[in-house]
Every structure is written in structure tokens, then in C-alpha cells.
């Protein structure tokens, strides 16, 4: 398989620099700016300003209410892009000029001057680590600071976290069902929701556990391994062997030149007897295309074998060319199957490779890579697993990048405190009632090393202690409660932005990718299983439980019967 691992990043001055092990601070999507927001954020900002609320201090929680894909975990992603947005938050002169025309008439000039001076320097942003498993109602991000700027951040932070977390979660689920030893490649750019969706999909698929992408720009910007073969068009562009203009290939070590087509034809005649397949059934144009591609990429020969017929043409032609390459000192990489019965065809291919390996005394031939594509989703992989497939690598596009099983995560951004006073949003739907006040979150672990429960507390409460009994309560159901004696307590929040700068050393993409897998290992298998997973518990302290319900009663209107 061809690859491009020497990826580089585009710097502000147009130069290039390697960033294999560093945060790509230099690449910033210019679309992610303060105007990438909903209009009502700016109209609210004006109303706040007009009401004299410039100095009000607020706390907002960014969280989701349910896990995606009928699962019981979510991977938090998008934090890096949120911090880049914070660094670059500023309304330009052209932004201000546009807003003067876009906003309703009558807005005072001083407000636009105020907007022009706004930055995120007075905001403090707390978050859980990017790549960590997360659960409903646990704030992924807490934003604290001046009310107006905190409000203006809402939509952009949501758009940066929602898809990133959904995509990373989807990729992590594919990794779990495929297993550790199967390669996963993201092939979804052509099906993604536009170029920004395509780039984000490539980045967060890699974080979630994929091994590479076909997206060349993503490879360059994020240093993701780039992989690819060829399309059916390359095969069908040749109609016969007479079209081959280049047929000679020099030996890799000796330099001796031989006609690769002639070698392939000789091997094909021999293979037709071994495999009991007539050469008259195989496509001459396909053979020509494969010879051509092998000459172009002798060290990376990966061929698509299902353009016509895998069994009677594709496999025969591929193996003939692969043996011809071997004569010239090269080893083919493998095949890609893009249609048909993938389980059957992969087993047929592996059996064919093993027979040739034994017949020609070429041990490596039995281990040729088999890549499968063709509209693959989670259920497809599970079914193939049950059928005992022999696939080494899945190329996954549409279902991965569009998250077809669930197209949105549904993160929300809710005010929970204003000027140190807690705020609660009530609803007849209990699931939409917010948990008020500034909170901390701790993950409590059991004796087996697995996470037991996430516990939300008020910020003025003492953290839970190892070996000490902790009362954990369901936030809204009085009878659901349990004592937990943790063997390990993990504080989930770190400060990532304060005083106008990023406050943590940011991990590389590979480090975030490793964190996803390490974080998933902390969950019991029943939380991660595909069918009917066990819900992971998110609880509140007794203090926070009473606080929530007291505030609920204070704010809920009292009905009157007549």
C-alpha cells in the first residue's frame, strides 16, 4: 500500500515544518472565527451590553444528554480546536462593518467599538482531557468569565465539539468491533459533508483509532498516514495488452531489465493450471492495467481485483503480476476487494495466496494484505467476523464520516451560574433539567481498576478520598443511591485556558489517539459491548442532590386548583 508519512504542517509564513510530536498550533481553519455563530448570540450580547451587564460573571457547562449510536460511552474530542479558536477570538474591522449591516437598525456605535476590543483573555476554560471517555450530563467543558464573551463563545464551541466527539466515538466503535490487529482506513472524503467535514472526519477518525486516511490534505495538515490504491477507472482504462507502452522493469538489486508483461503472461499460464482457471476467462485489459501499475509502483503494488470477476480474472491476473514482480526482486503488497461477498472472496483469496506460497516456496505470499471496502458499517464487520473472514484491512467511507446511524451528538451549552448565584433550567422533560452551580467531577475506580461511577460535586465540597465511603445519588431519582468506596479517585478537570493563553502542554494527535484506547480500557466490557450495553453511572453528591432539588422547588411555579 502506498503511503506518505512525511507529512508537514503549513506555517503562517507559508513555510513548512515537521510536527510529528508537537501540537499543530500553526494550522488554524480560517472559517473558525467569531462570526461562525448564530445571530442571536450577537443580539443577546447587545441586549446584555445595553442592560449594563458588562461586568457580570457567568459559568456555562457544555455537555450532552445521551450517548450516540445506542452505546454507553462517548469520546470527547475537539478541545484542541476550541483552544485555537480562543487564541484567535477577535472581531476584525470587516467583521464589524458586516455586523453594522446585518444587525437590526438602532444599535449604538459604542457597542461595535466594544465588540472590536473583545478577546477571550478574561475567560477561564476547564475541560476533561481530549480523548477521554465521557458520559451524559458530565460537562466536557466549563466556561467561566464575563457573561457577554462567554455567551458569544457558545455556538462555535458547540460546533467544534459536537462533530469531533461524534466522529471520534464512531471511529472508536469501529476499532472495537474490528479488533486490534485489523487495519482501518478512512476513505470518506468524497462522501463527507463538504471539505470541512471531510478534514474533520479524517482527523477524528485517526484519533478514534483508524490507522490512516485517503485524504491527502488531512495527511499534510495533521501528519496522518495517507494510504491509497487505485480506482476501477484505472483498470477499465486499458482494453488490451497492446496498449502497454512501458513493459520493462529493472531488477531491484541487479538492475537487469526484463519485460514484466511477458513474465506475467508466463506465470498466468502456469497459475491457470494450478488454480484450475482458464486464461481465456481473464481480462487482458485488467492484466495490462495491473502490469502498468506494478511498473509504476513496484514496491507498493496493491491492486483492485473485482472490476470484472475476482475468482476468474482479478485474482489470476494479480497473482501472475505479483510473481513477475518477485522475479524482479519486488514483493507485491496485496489486493483490494470493493464488491461482492466479502467473507467468501477474502477466504478464497487467502486460500489462493497460501496455495501459491506453498507451490513456489514464497512464505511472504501467503501473508499478502487483503483490503475490503464497499459501504462497510459496524454491522457488516460484526457479520464478517461471524463468517470467519480473512480481511486484513477495512477501507470505510460513507457510514463512518457521515455517522449515518446518528448524525448529531446533541451537545448543549447551558448557564449554571451568574454572579455566584446558581441558575437552573426547568422542563416538564426531566432529561432537560440542568444541574445548577459551578461543579467539579471525579471518576471513582473500583478494586479491579475499572471506572465505577462519575461523581459531580459543588466546587466548595471536599473531593472524595480513596478508601472512604462516598454516597452517590441519581440526580433526579430519590430512591437511586449507593455507597462507593473508591480505590482510586481521578479529578477530571484541568484548566486549559486562562489569562489569555493556553495553560497546558497540548498533546500530539498520536498522544490523544493513545489516550482514547487507554481510556476505553478503564471501562468494563459490558459498558462497551455492541448489543445492550450496561449504562455507566453518573451521580451527584448528597450535597449537590439537595442543592438541585431545593433550587428546583424555589423556581418551579406552584399550581392552583379551582
Amino acid at each position: 500500500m502506498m503511503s506518505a508519512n512525511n507529512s508537514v504542517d503549513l506555517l503562517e509564513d507559508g513555510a513548512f515544518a515537521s510536527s510529528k510530536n508537537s501540537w499543530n498550533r500553526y494550522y488554524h481553519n480560517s472559517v473558525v472565527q467569531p462570526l461562525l455563530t448564530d445571530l442571536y448570540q450577537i443580539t443577546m450580547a447587545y441586549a446584555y451590553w445595553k442592560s449594563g451587564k458588562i461586568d457580570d460573571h457567568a459559568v456555562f457547562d457544555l455537555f450532552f444528554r445521551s450517548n450516540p449510536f445506542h452505546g454507553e460511552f462517548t469520546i470527547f474530542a475537539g478541545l484542541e480546536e476550541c483552544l485555537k479558536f480562543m487564541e484567535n477570538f477577535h472581531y476584525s474591522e470587516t467583521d464589524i462593518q458586516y455586523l453594522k449591516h446585518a444587525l437590526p437598525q438602532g444599535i449604538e456605535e459604542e457597542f461595535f467599538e466594544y465588540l472590536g476590543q473583545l478577546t477571550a483573555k478574561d475567560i477561564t476554560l476547564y475541560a476533561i482531557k481530549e480523548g477521554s471517555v465521557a458520559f451524559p450530563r458530565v460537562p466536557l467543558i466549563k466556561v467561566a468569565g464575563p457573561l457577554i464573551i462567554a455567551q458569544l463563545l457558545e455556538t462555535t464551541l458547540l460546533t467544534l465539539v459536537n462533530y469531533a466527539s461524534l466522529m471520534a466515538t464512531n471511529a472508536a466503535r469501529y476499532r472495537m468491533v474490528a479488533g486490534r490487529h485489523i487495519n482501518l482506513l478512512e476513505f470518506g472524503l468524497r462522501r463527507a459533508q463538504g471539505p470541512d467535514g471531510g478534514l474533520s472526519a479524517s482527523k477524528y477518525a485517526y484519533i478514534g483509532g483508524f490507522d490512516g486516511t485517503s485524504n491527502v490534505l488531512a495527511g499534510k495538515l495533521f501528519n496522518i498516514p495517507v494510504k491509497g490504491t487505485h480506482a476501477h477507472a484505472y483498470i477499465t482504462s486499458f482494453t488490451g495488452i497492446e496498449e502497454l507502452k512501458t513493459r520493462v522493469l529493472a531488477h531491484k538489486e541487479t538492475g537487469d531489465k526484463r519485460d514484466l508483461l511477458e513474465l506475467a503472461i508466463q506465470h498466468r499460464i502456469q497459475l491457470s493450471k494450478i488454480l484450475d482457471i482458464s486464461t481465456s476467462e481473464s481480462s487482458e485489459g485488467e492484466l495490462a492495467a495491473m502490469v502498468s501499475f506494478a511498473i509504476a509502483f513496484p514496491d507498493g503494488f496493491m491492486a483492485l481485483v473485482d472490476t470484472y470477476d475476482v475468482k476468474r480474472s482479478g485474482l489470476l491476473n494479480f497473482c501472475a503480476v505479483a510473481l513477475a514482480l518477485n522475479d524482479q526482486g519486488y514483493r507485491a503488497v496485496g489486493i483490494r476487494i470493493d464488491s461482492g461477498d466479502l467473507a467468501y472472496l477474502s477466504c478464497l483469496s487467502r486460500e489462493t495466496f497460501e496455495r501459491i506460497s506453498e507451490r513456489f516456496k514464497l512464505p511472504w505470499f501467503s501473508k499478502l494484505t487483503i483490503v475490503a471496502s464497499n459501504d462497510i458499517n459496524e454491522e457488516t464487520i460484526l457479520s464478517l467476523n461471524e463468517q470467519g473472514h480473512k480481511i486484513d484491512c477495512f477501507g470505510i467511507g460513507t457510514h463512518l464520516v457521515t455517522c449515518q446511524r446518528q448524525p448529531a451528538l446533541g451537545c448543549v451549552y447551558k448557564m449554571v451560574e451568574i454572579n455566584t448565584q446558581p441558575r437552573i433550567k426547568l422542563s416538564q422533560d426531566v432529561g432537560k433539567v440542568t444541574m445548577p452551580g459551578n461543579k467539579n467531577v471525579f471518576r471513582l475506580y473500583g478494586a479491579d481498576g475499572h471506572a465505577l461511577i462519575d461523581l459531580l460535586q459543588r466546587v466548595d465540597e471536599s473531593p472524595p478520598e480513596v478508601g472512604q465511603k462516598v454516597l452517590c445519588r441519581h440526580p433526579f431519582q430519590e430512591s437511586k443511591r449507593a455507597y462507593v468506596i473508591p480505590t482510586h479517585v481521578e479529578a477530571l478537570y484541568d484548566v486549559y485556558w486562562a489569562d489569555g493563553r493556553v495553560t497546558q502542554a497540548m498533546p500530539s494527535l498520536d498522544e490523544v489517539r493513545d489516550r482514547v484506547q487507554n481510556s476505553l480500557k478503564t471501562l468494563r466490557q459490558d459498558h462497551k459491548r455492541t448489543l445492550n450495553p450496561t449504562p455507566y453511572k453518573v451521580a451527584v453528591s448528597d450535597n449537590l442532590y439537595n442543592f438541585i432539588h431545593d433550587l428546583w422547588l424555589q423556581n418551579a411555579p406552584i399550581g392552583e386548583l379551582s
Side-chain angles (χ1 to χ4, degrees):
M1 177 110 18
M2 294 173 293
S3 65
N5 292 322
N6 56 338
S7 302
V8 290
D9 295 320
L10 181 63
L11 302 184
E12 290 174 332
D13 62 359
F16 296 93
S18 174
S19 66
K20 178 73 176 173
N21 297 308
S22 62
W23 186 39
N24 183 0
R25 296 283 298 277
Y26 296 101
Y27 171 69
H28 174 68
N29 187 339
S30 62
V31 173
V32 181
Q33 53 168 294
L35 289 192
L36 186 67
T37 190
D38 295 306
L39 179 64
Y40 82 163
Q41 306 291 7
I42 302 174
T43 56
M44 278 196 294
Y46 177 66
Y48 286 144
W49 180 85
K50 186 72 172 173
S51 301
K53 297 178 77 66
I54 291 177
D55 296 324
D56 283 18
H57 186 280
V59 178
F60 286 82
D61 287 348
L62 189 156
F63 61 96
F64 58 93
R65 295 190 175 105
S66 61
N67 290 300
F69 312 119
H70 305 293
E72 288 298 338
F73 71 87
T74 298
I75 301 297
F76 170 48
L79 178 60
E80 174 189 321
E81 298 303 323
C82 290
L83 296 175
K84 290 177 184 177
F85 169 59
M86 303 283 282
E87 283 186 315
N88 291 278
F89 187 93
H90 173 67
Y91 291 97
S92 67
E93 290 184 14
T94 56
D95 291 341
I96 298 298
Q97 291 303 314
Y98 171 74
L99 289 174
K100 287 181 179 180
H101 292 284
L103 291 172
Q105 296 298 309
I107 292 180
E108 298 175 36
E109 183 65 28
E110 289 81 358
F111 173 69
F112 294 112
E113 294 174 3
Y114 169 78
L115 279 186
Q117 297 172 2
L118 272 185
T119 68
K121 65 180 179 61
D122 296 321
I123 291 290
T124 302
L125 186 146
Y126 307 79
I128 68 175
K129 292 180 174 64
E130 185 163 14
S132 299
V133 289
F135 304 98
R137 294 193 167 278
V138 175
L140 306 173
I141 291 175
K142 290 196 309 179
V143 173
L147 170 62
I148 293 177
I149 179 65
Q151 184 74 66
L152 288 169
L153 296 174
E154 175 180 1
T155 300
T156 317
L157 293 181
L158 284 172
T159 196
L160 291 173
V161 170
N162 261 312
Y163 180 69
S165 299
L166 186 74
M167 185 67 219
T169 306
N170 202 22
R173 290 175 63 88
Y174 276 95
R175 169 50 67 200
M176 287 195 306
V177 298
R180 294 176 55 192
H181 303 297
I182 301 292
N183 281 337
L184 294 176
L185 302 177
E186 176 268 311
F187 284 175
L189 178 59
R190 65 187 60 196
R191 304 287 171 77
Q193 280 88 345
D196 288 321
L199 280 174
S200 294
S202 300
K203 178 178 181 180
Y204 295 111
Y206 185 67
I207 282 178
F210 273 58
D211 300 290
T213 178
S214 64
N215 185 340
V216 181
L217 182 57
K220 172 187 173 184
L221 296 176
F222 307 124
N223 203 43
I224 300 171
V226 180
K227 307 285 185 177
T229 53
H230 59 77
H232 292 291
Y234 193 84
I235 300 293
T236 58
S237 70
F238 290 82
T239 58
I241 58 176
E242 66 279 356
E243 294 180 23
L244 271 176
K245 297 179 180 178
T246 303
R247 296 167 46 162
V248 174
L249 179 66
H251 193 281
K252 186 173 184 177
E253 296 177 357
T254 67
D256 293 341
K257 295 181 179 180
R258 298 181 71 181
D259 188 316
L260 197 68
L261 175 61
E262 285 187 5
L263 289 173
I265 290 174
Q266 292 170 16
H267 282 298
R268 188 170 67 163
I269 293 170
Q270 190 176 10
L271 287 172
S272 70
K273 298 173 183 176
I274 297 171
L275 303 177
D276 194 23
I277 301 172
S278 172
T279 57
S280 64
E281 295 182 70
S282 60
S283 167
E284 296 291 291
E286 182 179 58
L287 177 64
M290 289 186 180
V291 168
S292 170
F293 204 72
I295 290 172
F297 301 102
D299 278 314
F301 180 51
M302 166 74 70
L304 194 57
V305 295
D306 68 310
T307 303
Y308 301 114
D309 185 286
V310 175
K311 183 176 181 179
R312 301 189 178 280
S313 183
L315 266 181
L316 180 62
N317 283 328
F318 167 79
C319 292
V321 176
L323 289 174
L325 279 174
N326 180 70
D327 292 342
Q328 291 302 88
Y330 297 95
R331 289 185 181 182
V333 175
I335 61 172
R336 179 163 72 96
I337 307 170
D338 191 46
S339 63
D341 186 333
L342 298 180
Y344 166 72
L345 293 174
S346 68
C347 291
L348 172 68
S349 300
R350 182 64 66 207
E351 180 186 355
T352 301
F353 297 157
E354 289 173 349
R355 288 176 64 185
I356 294 171
S357 171
E358 184 177 354
R359 173 65 177 78
F360 291 90
K361 307 302 179 188
L362 298 172
W364 60 268
F365 210 98
S366 66
K367 296 178 174 60
L368 286 169
T369 298
I370 300 173
V371 179
S373 44
N374 186 29
D375 212 27
I376 290 169
N377 58 28
E378 265 191 69
E379 288 73 21
T380 306
I381 298 175
L382 288 169
S383 175
L384 288 168
N385 290 344
E386 293 175 355
Q387 297 174 69
H389 72 83
K390 301 298 181 183
I391 297 163
D392 302 295
C393 175
F394 289 106
I396 306 174
T398 305
H399 290 276
L400 173 68
V401 304
T402 64
C403 298
Q404 283 193 347
R405 291 184 65 192
Q406 181 176 325
L409 177 56
C411 284
V412 294
Y413 185 88
K414 299 298 181 183
M415 182 193 293
V416 294
E417 184 178 282
I418 182 80
N419 297 328
T420 72
Q421 298 302 307
R423 287 293 178 265
I424 187 170
K425 176 195 176 296
L426 300 181
S427 172
Q428 290 183 335
D429 179 357
V430 175
K432 290 193 172 184
V433 175
T434 59
M435 287 193 277
N438 195 352
K439 300 171 289 294
N440 283 328
V441 184
F442 300 90
R443 186 159 292 165
L444 311 185
Y445 291 81
D448 62 359
H450 288 127
L452 284 174
I453 198 166
D454 279 12
L455 179 68
L456 287 88
Q457 295 186 167
R458 302 183 68 186
V459 290
D460 56 2
E461 292 186 66
S462 299
E465 297 181 13
V466 170
Q468 299 298 311
K469 187 184 293 185
V470 181
L471 178 59
C472 299
R473 306 194 62 172
H474 188 286
F476 302 115
Q477 297 183 31
E478 186 174 12
S479 63
K480 289 190 174 183
R481 52 188 180 171
Y483 284 112
V484 175
I485 302 176
T487 58
H488 173 61
V489 176
E490 179 186 7
L492 295 190
Y493 289 137
D494 289 306
V495 177
Y496 280 90
W497 176 269
D499 302 319
R501 63 182 182 86
V502 176
T503 58
Q504 300 284 334
M506 295 304 298
S508 68
L509 212 61
D510 285 327
E511 290 169 334
V512 176
R513 186 170 182 266
D514 289 341
R515 181 177 292 139
V516 171
Q517 300 308 315
N518 291 331
S519 188
L520 283 168
K521 289 176 184 177
T522 67
L523 298 184
R524 296 197 315 261
Q525 189 58 41
D526 59 304
H527 293 309
K528 298 182 286 186
R529 66 190 177 205
T530 303
L531 183 63
N532 297 324
T534 303
Y536 180 87
K537 291 180 175 60
V538 174
V540 297
S541 66
D542 190 52
N543 186 314
L544 180 55
Y545 176 88
N546 292 319
F547 177 71
I548 291 170
H549 288 266
D550 288 345
L551 197 63
W552 193 337
L553 290 175
Q554 290 173 26
N555 286 273
I558 301 174
E560 185 175 311
L561 300 177
S562 59

